[in-house]
Amino acid sequence: GAGVSQSPSNKVTEKGKDVELRCDPISGHTALYWYRQSLGQGLEFLIYFQGNSAPDKSGLPSDRFSAERTGGSVSTLTIQRTQQEDSAVYLCASSLTPWTGKSRTDTQYFGPGTRLTVL
Amino acid sequence: AQSVTQPDIHITVSEGASLELRCNYSYGATPYLFWYVQSPGQGLQLLLKYFSGDTLVQGIKGFEAEFKRSQSSFNLRKPSVHWSDAAEYFCAVGRSGGFKTIFGAGTRLFVKA
């Protein structure tokens, strides 16, 4: 597609339920990133996928959080046994090439996010 | 520890006035620095980035930022603000060799007519 898409745009769930958030990156982009944006805070890095390499999971806040990327394209972020503190906007981004920080082609393109509310 | 501070939670400027958004960072080595903008209902967009060379960086939408190592700052500027610039702006610091970008809490810009 033309940009990064995420679904659903909004998700309301009850405490203790599991949720799955989906990200469709830009076609051909090899790198995919998940972030969390809590109210009044900046973006918090969660996980980074690059091609077939093992993902960088160093940002995942607990073992209730997991993510996978199937076929090097679509990614799903799963939160098990949701807690109220998990309420946030979850952002996905993709880049054409692996992250270096100093390349034109590793610019991250962000999706619109999924707003998760845990009651 | 690595950190990014955006001292101003929100700023209000008049349309046509100049703008400066502050960003201070704490980093052990030469950082890579970024400014992103998040408009209402839209995703984050990269405005500009610095990783080496000229310390004055030009970005999209008429924005520029200056890296000042002595002050550990990377302030974003625009000479004349347009109403469409109203958004939230995030400063970030990172490095190569692994994805460890840290974002500031953001500054919300309001533009008044």
Side-chain angles (χ1 to χ4, degrees):
Chain A
V4 177
S5 60
Q6 294 185 244
S7 61
S9 55
N10 282 283
K11 176 71 176 179
V12 180
T13 190
E14 294 179 347
K15 178 181 174 181
K17 300 284 190 182
D18 297 352
V19 295
E20 285 189 351
L21 311 179
R22 177 187 169 105
C23 172
D24 283 89
I26 294 173
S27 179
H29 279 199
T30 63
L32 187 146
Y33 316 74
W34 281 99
Y35 296 85
R36 178 169 68 177
Q37 185 177 22
S38 302
L39 188 63
Q41 299 187 27
L43 272 69
E44 176 187 12
F45 164 71
L46 297 177
I47 189 168
Y48 166 52
F49 292 92
Q50 170 45 42
N52 295 322
S53 302
D56 179 347
K57 304 180 181 180
S58 59
L60 294 177
S62 78
D63 58 8
R64 296 187 295 105
F65 287 72
S66 63
E68 62 177 20
R69 188 179 184 193
T70 54
S73 181
V74 172
S75 177
T76 302
L77 177 69
T78 301
I79 308 173
Q80 296 178 308
R81 305 181 303 281
T82 53
Q83 304 294 313
Q84 288 183 332
E85 60 263 30
D86 299 334
S87 296
V89 176
Y90 289 82
L91 294 171
C92 175
S94 69
S95 63
L96 179 63
T97 58
W99 174 259
T100 66
K102 57 181 182 179
S103 167
R104 289 183 180 274
T105 54
D106 67 4
T107 296
Q108 295 174 75
Y109 294 86
F110 284 81
T114 294
R115 182 175 297 278
L116 174 65
T117 303
V118 181
L119 302 176
Chain B
Q2 303 158 13
S3 64
V4 178
T5 302
Q6 294 181 247
D8 304 304
I9 297 173
H10 55 80
I11 282 181
T12 300
V13 299
S14 298
E15 191 170 16
S18 63
L19 170 70
E20 182 169 31
L21 301 182
R22 296 183 292 165
C23 172
N24 294 97
Y25 66 89
S26 173
Y27 203 80
T30 301
Y32 297 167
L33 295 158
F34 310 83
W35 275 100
Y36 290 84
V37 60
Q38 187 175 34
S39 299
Q42 298 187 28
L44 276 163
Q45 182 181 23
L46 179 69
L47 286 175
L48 48 79
K49 63 182 176 182
Y50 167 83
F51 54 88
S52 68
D54 193 344
T55 56
L56 184 62
V57 182
Q58 302 296 322
I60 61 171
K61 305 185 179 187
F63 285 92
E64 66 178 26
E66 186 171 12
F67 170 54
K68 292 186 177 180
R69 184 189 302 275
S70 62
Q71 299 177 19
S72 297
S73 69
F74 189 58
N75 294 347
L76 182 71
R77 301 193 295 247
K78 187 170 185 178
S80 178
V81 169
H82 187 263
W83 64 266
S84 61
D85 293 325
E88 188 147 24
Y89 292 80
F90 293 91
C91 180
V93 61
R95 62 172 173 83
S96 184
F99 187 74
K100 302 293 182 186
T101 299
I102 299 168
F103 285 79
T107 297
R108 183 166 294 278
L109 173 65
F110 298 95
V111 180
K112 61 182 181 180

